[in-house]
Amino acid sequence: MTAASVRRTNKKPKAKPRKGGRKKVRQVSIFDKILRAMPVTEAQVQKGLTWGLVGVFVLGAYSVAHYTGINERISSQIAATVGNAGFEVKRVEVTGVNRIDELKVYEITLAQKDRSMMLVDIDQVRDDLMGNGWIKDARISRRLPDTLVVEIIEREPAAVWQRDGKLSLIDRTGYPLQQIGPEEMPDLPVIVGKKANKRVPELTKLLDVAPALSPMVTGATWIGNRRWNLEFDSGETLALPEGEETAAAALLNFARMDGVNRLLGRGVVHFDLRDSERAYLRMPPKAKTSSEPEG
């Protein structure tokens, strides 16, 4: 064997290259990491994005229709179709009416030009009804196919308010209900004085201090925008001091004295408790005898 053949034999065979070469390292973006961390699949995310784009498109189309008046025309057309199909206001049912003219309620309820059940503005009907002083609250509802139901809650008259020669019925809050004439006077207490009606809640609270005397009070006069004079059914007048607490204390003291000594109905004309230290009484003037000279 020759030296040349030995050298060829000793050469190491070359390593065969691996198929495909080196594998490339895939870069993972932050967005992919966020998707993998979320409890939803990528397909679900894509679906959500698609529906989101559809929603944006629909909202944009609605806005355009709204500002161009298309929606209003469509609503009017639908309402007209519904009305033609028989869903038109033909009847009104009214409940809770005792003192109000029921025909007036019908007139207000049916005042709107459009009679389609869909186009009747229930809020406007309620606002119109609330303009009546007797109505404390009103509820209006639709009952298909052709009826509006009106539930009225009326105010209750609690007193008569007299000022500047005028008489008005008022409720417990002092809210004016309607003017009345002298021949229409009900059996209710008479509150006298400018803006005295606004003091009715305060007067009610005052009378609650003496529940035994409260039913005997037939009237109250708001004096000088600062204090009360009370009138009793037995003909006496009680002058109370200024201030809610002071007046309440004076009235309570008077009720105790009346309970012990029967002050009311004994011929006294006027009780004056404005002085916290002493009470003043005024008796009726003595009748003249026939022997007394005139003049």
Side-chain angles (χ1 to χ4, degrees):
M1 184 179 296
T2 62
S5 63
V6 173
R7 283 196 296 268
R8 282 196 299 268
T9 304
N10 291 338
K11 286 183 179 179
K12 294 182 179 180
K14 294 182 180 179
K16 294 181 179 180
R18 295 180 180 178
K19 293 182 179 180
R22 291 185 178 182
K23 291 184 177 179
K24 295 183 179 179
V25 178
R26 185 180 179 184
Q27 297 294 329
V28 180
S29 66
I30 296 177
F31 181 73
D32 290 335
K33 291 180 179 180
I34 294 174
L35 287 178
R36 292 176 182 177
M38 293 175 64
V40 294
T41 64
E42 186 174 350
Q44 290 174 325
V45 173
Q46 294 293 339
K47 186 177 181 180
L49 291 174
T50 301
W51 279 109
L53 291 173
V54 172
V56 171
F57 175 77
V58 171
L59 181 60
Y62 176 83
S63 299
V64 172
H66 176 75
Y67 286 108
T68 56
I70 295 176
N71 285 347
E72 187 175 348
R73 289 196 293 271
I74 292 175
S75 298
S76 299
Q77 185 62 40
I78 293 174
T81 303
V82 170
N84 293 333
F87 293 89
E88 183 177 347
V89 179
K90 295 179 181 178
R91 300 177 60 232
V92 176
E93 290 187 8
V94 181
T95 60
V97 170
N98 294 313
R99 298 177 178 85
I100 309 171
D101 184 358
E102 191 168 341
L103 292 177
K104 187 65 176 177
V105 176
Y106 284 106
E107 181 183 331
I108 294 173
T109 305
L110 296 174
Q112 296 188 18
K113 295 180 179 180
D114 203 313
R115 294 291 182 86
S116 172
M117 290 290 284
M118 287 187 63
L119 292 184
V120 172
D121 190 341
I122 288 180
D123 293 333
Q124 184 61 53
V125 173
R126 181 182 182 277
D127 290 342
D128 293 341
L129 288 171
M130 293 299 290
N132 187 304
W134 281 101
I135 298 179
K136 184 178 181 180
D137 196 9
R139 304 185 184 97
I140 300 92
S141 59
R142 297 180 178 90
R143 189 170 69 201
L144 297 177
D146 58 5
T147 305
L148 288 180
V149 180
V150 182
E151 300 176 63
I152 300 294
I153 299 177
E154 292 184 346
R155 298 180 188 271
E156 295 289 335
V160 176
W161 177 31
Q162 177 182 331
R163 83 284 184 203
D164 300 329
K166 298 178 181 179
L167 299 173
S168 299
L169 291 174
I170 57 177
D171 69 358
R172 292 184 180 275
T173 67
Y175 189 90
L177 304 178
Q178 71 175 49
Q179 288 194 13
I180 59 173
E183 70 282 357
E184 301 175 281
M185 283 288 291
D187 186 17
L188 292 172
V190 179
I191 311 300
V192 183
K194 187 177 182 180
K195 298 183 179 180
N197 63 311
K198 296 183 178 181
R199 299 283 179 170
V200 170
E202 173 189 316
L203 178 62
T204 302
K205 182 179 178 182
L206 174 64
L207 294 178
D208 287 342
V209 172
L213 293 180
S214 182
M216 306 179 192
V217 176
T218 58
T221 303
W222 183 237
I223 305 294
N225 199 32
R226 65 182 188 276
R227 66 174 194 84
W228 289 103
N229 273 3
L230 303 181
E231 287 82 36
F232 295 94
D233 54 8
S234 49
E236 299 88 350
T237 299
L238 172 62
L240 294 174
E242 300 178 31
E244 291 186 21
E245 294 183 2
T246 308
L251 181 60
L252 181 59
N253 188 38
F254 181 81
R256 289 170 179 168
M257 291 190 295
D258 181 67
V260 174
N261 301 313
R262 291 294 301 270
L263 300 178
L264 296 175
R266 300 291 292 273
V268 179
V269 175
H270 189 87
F271 298 94
D272 193 337
L273 301 183
R274 288 177 291 174
D275 191 332
S276 59
E277 296 183 357
R278 63 184 66 184
Y280 296 90
L281 310 179
R282 186 168 75 238
M283 302 298 293
K286 293 182 180 180
K288 292 182 180 181
T289 61
S290 57
S291 60
E292 291 180 356
E294 295 183 0

